[in-house]
Amino acid sequence: PPERIILVDTSASMSLTDTPDGATRLRNVLQRLDEAPLGREWLDKTRNHWFAFDAHARKLDDRQALDGLAPDGTETRLGVALEEAWNLYNWTAGAQNIERPVPRVLVLSDGHDRGRLDALATARGLGMTVDVLSPLVRREPDQAFVEFADVQHPGRILLGSELRLRVALRQSGFGGVPLRLVLESDGEREQDDRSRDETG
C-alpha cells in the first residue's frame, strides 16, 4: 500500500478546550480522524507512520500511542517537524535496504506554527504533498475576531530583495472600527510607508 506520514501536533495550543464538545483541540482532531470523510477505512488503505511533534518530531510506535499524547509542548515548529519526520522515515528504510517513494503527509494541527523554518518551502524541497486536518473550534455568536483568509507571495525570494505580500483578512464584530495590520520580522517592526488604517 502507499506510504503516509502522519504528524500530530502536541503543542500547548492544542490543549485549549474551545471545541464544540468542550474537549481539547488535540482530542477533537483525533476524533475527526475517525469520522467522515476520513475514517479508519481511509487510513487502512495506506501504510501509516505516526509522529507527534511540537518543537521537534518524535516517532510513535503505532496508532495506539495516540491515546497517551498530552498537548504540553512549549513551541510549534512545523517545518522542523516535517524535515525530522522525513529523516526518521528514511533512516528506518535505509536500515532495511528499502527504497521508498516520497510519502504523502497528513498534519493534524491548529496551525499555530512558530518556527522560523518555512514549512511550505520545506515540504516543496522534500517533494512532499501535505494535507492538513484541523480541530473544530467553537466561536461564540457575539465573539469578535480577525483572521487571515489568504496570503499570497512569490514562490522564490532572494536574500536582500524586496517582497510584496497580498494579504486578505476576514473579520467579524469590528464594524466601523479602524484596524491596522503591522508586519514584524524576527520581532522587529518593518517600516512601510504604504501601511494605513483600514476599516472593515
Side-chain angles (χ1 to χ4, degrees):
E3 307 272 335
R4 186 182 301 277
I5 289 176
I6 302 179
L7 281 161
V8 183
D9 187 352
T10 58
S11 58
S13 65
M14 296 293 283
S15 67
L16 296 176
T17 56
D18 53 356
T19 61
D21 58 359
T24 64
R25 291 182 178 184
L26 175 60
R27 290 302 141 200
N28 179 269
V29 77
L30 290 177
Q31 181 179 346
R32 293 195 69 199
L33 192 62
D34 285 333
E35 297 173 347
L38 302 182
R40 289 184 179 269
E41 291 184 5
W42 177 80
L43 288 176
D44 288 343
K45 296 177 181 177
T46 55
R47 181 180 291 111
N48 302 310
H49 305 269
W50 299 89
F51 295 84
F53 79 96
D54 39 62
H56 296 280
R58 57 192 184 277
K59 185 82 169 68
L60 302 176
D61 293 333
D62 50 35
R63 181 170 180 155
Q64 281 65 44
L66 298 177
D67 295 333
L69 294 180
D72 54 6
T74 57
E75 191 177 17
T76 310
R77 297 195 293 181
L78 181 54
V80 170
L82 287 170
E83 196 171 64
E84 291 177 344
W86 169 249
N87 289 337
L88 287 168
Y89 168 83
N90 273 330
W91 180 80
T92 57
Q96 302 171 14
N97 293 319
I98 300 174
E99 285 193 20
R100 288 175 171 169
V102 178
R104 201 172 181 102
V105 179
L106 175 64
V107 177
L108 278 59
S109 174
D110 57 11
H112 287 191
D113 185 17
R114 294 294 181 265
R116 294 190 177 185
L117 187 62
D118 188 323
L120 180 59
T122 300
R124 283 177 174 166
L126 296 172
M128 291 177 168
T129 299
V130 179
D131 304 299
V132 178
L133 180 65
S134 60
L136 293 176
V137 177
R138 180 188 68 249
R139 281 201 179 98
E140 300 300 331
D142 58 347
Q143 182 180 357
F145 68 90
V146 178
E147 63 185 6
F148 287 99
D150 184 53
V151 178
Q152 297 179 23
H153 62 84
R156 183 169 179 262
I157 304 167
L158 299 177
L159 184 64
S161 63
E162 292 185 357
L163 169 64
R164 176 174 292 180
L165 298 173
R166 187 182 191 94
V167 180
L169 298 176
R170 181 185 298 115
Q171 62 86 21
S172 176
F174 287 101
V177 179
L179 300 176
R180 171 171 289 174
L181 178 63
V182 178
L183 178 63
E184 292 186 353
S185 177
D186 293 332
E188 296 184 5
R189 181 173 296 188
E190 297 290 336
Q191 298 296 325
D192 187 350
D193 295 336
R194 294 167 298 176
S195 64
R196 62 186 186 275
D197 288 352
E198 296 286 352
T199 300

